[in-house]
Amino acid sequence: MSITISPDDRIEVNGTQPAADPAPQGKNFAVFVSRAKLFWMLFRFAFLTIITLGIYRFWAKTKLRRYLWSTVEYDGDRFEYHGTAKELFLGFLIALAVLLPLGILNAFLNAVVFAEGGYEAFAFFYSLVFLFVIMFLIQFAFYRMRRYQLTRTSWRSVHFGLDGSAVKYAIMSILWLLFTIVTLGIAYPWMQAWQTRRIIDHARVGDLSFSCSVTGGAVFKRFILFYIGIFVASIATGILGSSVEKVGATGLEAVLRGIIPMFLTVGYMVVGALLLRISIFRLTVNNMQLGGHAIGATFKSAPIVWSAILSTIIALVIYFVAMAGGFGLLALFAGGVSALVGEFGSDPQAAQQVILMAYMFILPMIFIATLFAGAAGMAIFGVTVMRTIVPGISMEHSEKLDQILQSENTGPKYGEGFADALDVGAF
Amino acid sequence: MGQARFQDGKTTASHVVELHWDIEQLRIVAMDGGAELARWPLDQIRQVNMPGDDGRIRLALGHEPGARLLVSDSLDRDQVLGRCPNLAIKPEREKGWWRGYAFWGSAAILSITGLFLFVIPALSGVIAGFVPMEWERKFGNTAEEQILTGLSKLEKKPLGQMTCSTPAGDQALEKLLASLTGGYGDRSQLSVKVVDTKVPNAFALPGERILILRGLLDLADGPNGVAGVLAHELGHVQERHVMSNVIETSATSLLLGLVLGDVTGGALLVGVGETALNSAYGRDKERAADDYAIERMTEAGFDPAPLGDLLTRLSGESGNIDEYLVWASSHPATSERLAVIRESSMGGGQALNETEWQALKNICNPE
């Protein structure tokens, strides 16, 4: 049960990676995350977030990060997360107060542009400008989010940080985006490499800087492999699918010949996209240094891929079992009620109301089962990802790592508001 | 006097230290060289362990991020627990901690309410006015087709036989329209159709289209109730309410997504919020359409009171038809509405004479 030859692993075996030392000297990171604990946290947080109309999400995020950070260890010491829910919540309020007027302005200008005939060129120009404002905000928000997260992280009492200007990052990103559009997407890997380098090169622990030398060319190679994979899978699907007509297959055989290859292609696309992400992440880590100490990644992709598949299946099974159970219960109940009503010959409308009440009882059960399934899937996958990746990362060790100085820059006061509102970034 | 680790908040050095417990303070002394690294007053020592921590007691001075003392030795643990009185005390709130919440909270609430209550309804109306009539007509065509198809399935009748027309019935309808569209302007594009179904309802669709369902005619006992419903729907058409509804719906779902965030079940919340907001917007439009109807009826010299009677009847008439199909489900006979209609009634004549009314009532039963 393992994918031994994934497209990205092949590259590393070929040795196009100078930094990919198979066994770097140094100390490995370690992780002590518990699946049960994470599951209950996710489940509780999802529930609380929903019943508080989303407000609890800032507390949930903070608590989750505090837990996850503190399960990761380097050289005998855990990481600490110092962010507070208040910072996130205020950041969100600020974003609302600022973003919404922006939206109003846009709607108003739109109305004007709509209103006046003969301004087609202006309307086009205007919508272009608005698009760029949104793109700018998204990139800006992403940089600020990373800055917030890093300044709230410490190891051995020394805080991380991210210098550099979020505005510059956003402007440069937009230029890259334009270039990517002009080159019909070919430049995308170079854009991604530039963005990664830009952030990592400005990141630091105390006074010790990170650096990253990942190149667009190396990222491009991984993309190409991914596309070749999809291309081959699609061709195979096409050939198998067209054989349905040739053989004149009908019924089950036609379904099998037609649908299974399609399913496999889609599956490959999903798995391939995951493999691509893992592979680019590994490439990035392998090209990172912290104040001259090389960082290396040797983790495998296979456990992550299998866990993604398995956790999806488990979550779906839990969900469907709960649904079937819930509706089965409802059907039984409804049957019982109508039998009773038949016996006593009472009002059918009253029976309907009783069934409606049963619905009110069973729907929350199904709702909770859905949260349960989601939390279970996320806990299964998340823990596997951490247990695979974290111990697979190592960093050269020297006395310098014991002499990193705390930096004065304490970072932004509020966190992530724009990123939250614009839906940037992961959790 | 066991061993512990001390990280001073200035560098990443992890000093191996000895702990000296004095009466009032803890002295942290390096094992290597014996230098005193810090003195911590016992009452200011806090425990700052994290949920996934490694089993050592994690201590800090006060609540600020800064130096950490990690205690694993069991003797020192006992000292910590026995001597430090304020280990678990939560940080006191700073003075004025609430100001940020208050300021940005009210700014955000102001911004959201302003948007939902004023800007979206106002702008969607304005924008709806600028949607090219041609788009709206296409949209209305599709909507009408969908509704007719749905009803033809319900009635198990071919689609072609769904709309009703008799010469006398058409004439009566035209007379009603002519008297109700005084201030309407160009009505060459206005289309009013009677649909042959038992469902008692009427719709205004985009592109100046109105559908009156036969069930409504069956229920009315005089022409003025029907005239009132027709005038009400004309109000929706005149104000382009349907188009602005479409714009409002998309705007609210976009904004609610922004406010509630992308969380598990977020889509559910957005759905609920959307329904609530849209029905609030809907009420305003219904009121506007009622006003329009009363105005037109009065202007034409018809008594609007029967509209109220028809509404009351419709509310009682859900009966064996799916409730959401009935006009009353989207136009409830609230006491407020009925009162408005009743008060506005200053008497007045019948919209159609008896012959015309019978012709309209039987528009779906050609002899």
Side-chain angles (χ1 to χ4, degrees):
Chain A
M1 194 173 105
S2 76
I3 302 173
T4 42
I5 305 173
S6 58
D8 34 85
D9 285 338
R10 220 176 292 144
I11 287 187
E12 261 133 46
V13 174
N14 287 344
T16 46
Q17 279 317 309
D21 194 325
Q25 293 292 312
K27 296 188 175 176
N28 279 66
F29 286 75
V31 66
F32 302 89
V33 62
S34 146
R35 206 160 254 150
K37 211 163 172 173
L38 184 63
F39 165 76
W40 283 115
M41 280 182 134
L42 288 170
F43 179 65
R44 211 170 61 234
F45 293 164
F47 183 78
L48 288 171
T49 299
I50 286 176
I51 63 168
T52 55
L53 301 180
I55 297 295
Y56 189 77
R57 69 177 183 274
F58 309 105
W59 280 261
K61 254 185 201 175
T62 301
K63 287 178 179 179
L64 201 60
R65 283 183 192 165
R66 254 179 84 72
Y67 173 62
L68 291 179
W69 265 233
S70 69
T71 62
V72 177
E73 190 177 292
Y74 181 74
D75 196 24
D77 281 296
R78 300 290 172 95
F79 288 79
E80 235 181 290
Y81 181 72
H82 302 273
T84 65
K86 183 187 174 178
E87 291 163 347
L88 290 185
F89 187 46
L90 281 181
F92 165 72
L93 291 179
I94 293 170
L96 274 192
V98 175
L99 271 189
L100 287 187
L102 203 76
I104 296 171
L105 186 76
N106 171 51
F108 177 73
L109 285 174
N110 255 331
V112 170
V113 171
F114 261 123
E116 306 296 328
Y119 281 96
E120 283 81 7
F122 176 70
F124 177 74
F125 176 72
Y126 169 71
S127 51
L128 216 62
V129 167
F130 186 71
L131 192 72
F132 275 102
V133 170
I134 291 286
M135 292 310 300
F136 174 86
L137 278 177
I138 289 176
Q139 301 297 340
F140 174 81
F142 184 76
Y143 202 86
R144 297 272 300 191
M145 178 182 78
R146 284 281 180 263
R147 166 136 60 214
Y148 174 78
Q149 290 167 351
L150 282 168
T151 53
R152 263 56 176 180
T153 302
S154 76
W155 179 71
R156 285 193 185 162
S157 76
V158 170
H159 282 242
F160 286 65
L162 179 63
D163 303 325
S165 149
V167 172
K168 265 188 203 159
Y169 174 84
I171 292 173
M172 292 287 286
S173 290
I174 286 179
L175 293 179
W176 267 106
L177 199 68
L178 278 179
F179 185 54
T180 303
I181 294 169
V182 169
T183 57
L184 303 175
I186 292 171
Y188 182 72
W190 280 269
M191 169 177 169
Q192 210 188 358
W194 177 83
Q195 287 186 315
T196 309
R197 280 201 311 268
R198 177 85 188 181
I199 291 181
I200 295 176
D201 284 346
H202 285 88
R204 55 180 173 72
V205 195
D207 65 342
L208 203 61
S209 296
F210 284 96
S211 64
C212 180
S213 59
V214 69
T215 62
V219 176
F220 178 71
K221 273 182 201 155
R222 282 153 175 80
F223 268 92
I224 282 294
L225 273 177
F226 171 61
Y227 286 129
I228 290 175
I230 287 183
F231 182 71
V232 170
S234 315
I235 297 267
T237 306
I239 292 170
L240 277 168
S242 64
S243 72
V244 175
E245 282 164 39
K246 257 186 230 152
V247 183
T250 49
L252 189 66
E253 197 192 340
V255 170
L256 289 182
R257 276 173 188 271
I259 288 180
I260 288 188
M262 204 168 77
F263 184 73
L264 285 178
T265 307
V266 173
Y268 180 82
M269 279 164 84
V270 173
V271 170
L274 184 61
L275 282 171
L276 179 68
R277 277 194 75 167
I278 301 168
S279 146
I280 290 175
F281 179 67
R282 186 166 39 219
L283 173 73
T284 307
V285 173
N286 266 324
N287 283 285
M288 275 173 70
Q289 292 191 337
L290 173 60
H293 302 76
I295 304 175
T298 52
F299 55 82
K300 294 264 181 297
S301 310
I304 298 175
V305 172
W306 281 116
S307 172
I309 296 169
L310 207 68
S311 60
T312 309
I313 292 173
I314 290 175
L316 285 176
V317 166
I318 295 177
Y319 178 71
F320 282 118
V321 165
M323 287 286 269
F327 282 111
L329 224 71
L330 187 69
L332 266 176
F333 188 76
V337 169
S338 47
L340 274 179
V341 168
E343 235 169 81
F344 298 111
S346 59
D347 187 4
Q349 268 199 334
Q352 260 185 2
Q353 267 169 0
V354 173
I355 291 170
L356 201 72
M357 271 164 64
Y359 248 117
M360 303 297 274
F361 179 68
I362 285 165
L363 281 181
M365 277 174 52
I366 290 173
F367 167 70
I368 285 176
T370 310
L371 294 187
F372 195 91
M378 274 159 76
I380 293 169
F381 182 61
V383 169
T384 308
V385 168
M386 286 186 81
R387 285 187 183 158
T388 308
I389 288 180
V390 175
I393 297 178
S394 62
M395 186 164 67
E396 285 178 340
H397 201 84
S398 80
E399 284 163 11
K400 258 165 91 183
L401 292 184
D402 295 335
Q403 297 155 7
I404 303 173
L405 286 177
Q406 183 83 279
S407 166
E408 290 301 310
N409 195 344
T410 50
K413 219 171 156 194
Y414 306 120
E416 297 184 19
F418 284 97
D420 181 85
L422 294 167
D423 217 356
V424 185
F427 73 91
Chain B
M1 277 216 289
Q3 275 185 21
R5 288 278 187 161
F6 182 66
Q7 295 151 7
D8 60 8
K10 294 176 193 120
T11 74
T12 46
S14 188
H15 305 278
V16 183
V17 292
E18 265 182 344
L19 304 181
H20 295 270
W21 296 94
D22 296 350
I23 295 169
E24 296 262 303
Q25 61 187 1
L26 167 65
R27 284 190 296 120
I28 301 167
V29 176
M31 289 280 273
D32 181 17
E36 188 179 294
L37 297 175
R39 287 180 185 208
W40 284 7
L42 295 182
D43 58 349
Q44 288 177 34
I45 295 177
R46 307 271 189 273
Q47 187 174 1
V48 289
N49 274 82
M50 302 171 292
D53 224 329
D54 56 8
R56 294 184 289 184
I57 294 187
R58 184 176 292 265
L59 299 174
L61 184 65
H63 294 287
E64 294 305 303
R68 292 285 182 266
L69 179 64
L70 296 151
V71 179
S72 47
D73 180 272
S74 63
L75 285 174
D76 278 328
R77 275 166 177 271
D78 294 343
Q79 296 275 17
V80 170
L81 298 177
R83 284 172 180 260
C84 304
N86 297 328
L87 279 181
I89 292 222
K90 299 230 161 180
E92 249 174 64
R93 291 189 192 278
E94 319 157 31
K95 222 177 147 201
W97 59 271
W98 48 272
R99 276 191 201 132
Y101 286 112
F103 180 77
W104 289 112
S106 24
I109 288 171
L110 214 70
S111 176
I112 296 169
T113 26
L115 207 62
F116 281 134
L117 289 188
F118 307 111
V119 180
I120 290 185
L123 272 182
S124 55
V126 174
I127 294 172
F130 295 119
V131 172
M133 215 47 208
E134 223 166 295
W135 297 3
E136 197 180 320
R137 244 168 241 135
K138 266 185 206 156
F139 189 38
N141 251 335
T142 322
E144 188 178 294
E145 241 172 61
Q146 275 173 0
I147 290 173
L148 288 181
T149 312
L151 287 171
S152 80
K153 275 180 191 146
L154 187 83
E155 297 286 332
K156 300 189 180 67
K157 254 193 298 204
L159 186 59
Q161 290 174 27
M162 286 308 289
T163 46
C164 305
S165 172
T166 61
D170 290 350
Q171 225 171 10
L173 190 61
E174 176 53 34
K175 189 185 167 195
L176 265 189
L177 271 176
S179 43
L180 290 173
T181 49
Y184 191 86
D186 175 25
R187 62 183 182 96
S188 59
Q189 296 294 332
L190 182 67
S191 137
V192 179
K193 287 180 185 162
V194 179
V195 183
D196 191 12
T197 166
K198 61 178 185 290
V199 178
N201 207 337
F203 313 101
L205 300 178
E208 300 181 80
R209 279 161 194 278
I210 293 174
L211 295 182
I212 295 175
L213 309 194
R214 193 205 70 220
L216 193 83
L217 298 178
D218 295 347
L219 266 182
D221 40 49
N224 283 25
V226 174
V229 170
L230 185 59
H232 176 101
E233 299 305 337
L234 278 169
H236 284 316
V237 168
Q238 173 85 339
E239 307 279 333
R240 298 186 81 168
H241 281 162
V242 185
M243 221 39 226
S244 64
N245 267 347
V246 172
I247 294 166
E248 264 167 21
T249 312
S250 30
T252 37
S253 68
L254 205 83
L255 279 168
L256 276 173
L258 202 118
V259 174
L260 296 172
D262 184 45
V263 287
T264 326
L268 185 81
L269 287 176
V270 170
V272 172
E274 227 176 272
T275 316
L277 275 165
N278 288 333
S279 68
Y281 295 150
R283 272 197 296 282
D284 287 344
K285 293 204 178 75
E286 292 312 324
R287 217 167 287 138
D290 274 353
D291 291 347
Y292 184 91
I294 291 166
E295 211 175 293
R296 290 282 89 77
M297 294 280 285
T298 318
E299 210 177 85
F302 304 154
D303 179 14
L307 175 59
D309 302 340
L310 183 58
L311 278 177
T312 318
R313 232 164 214 250
L314 279 167
S315 302
E317 191 57 36
S318 334
N320 45 9
I321 298 164
D322 281 335
E323 266 189 53
Y324 67 92
L325 288 175
V326 182
W327 202 64
S329 69
S330 52
H331 299 78
T334 58
S335 47
E336 183 207 342
R337 284 185 82 195
L338 293 178
V340 169
I341 294 169
R342 210 175 304 121
E343 276 161 31
S344 69
S345 168
M346 299 181 297
Q350 294 288 311
L352 296 173
N353 64 36
E354 191 53 30
T355 333
E356 288 162 340
W357 167 236
Q358 287 309 323
L360 180 58
K361 224 173 151 54
N362 292 316
I363 193 169
C364 293
N365 315 313
E367 306 300 316

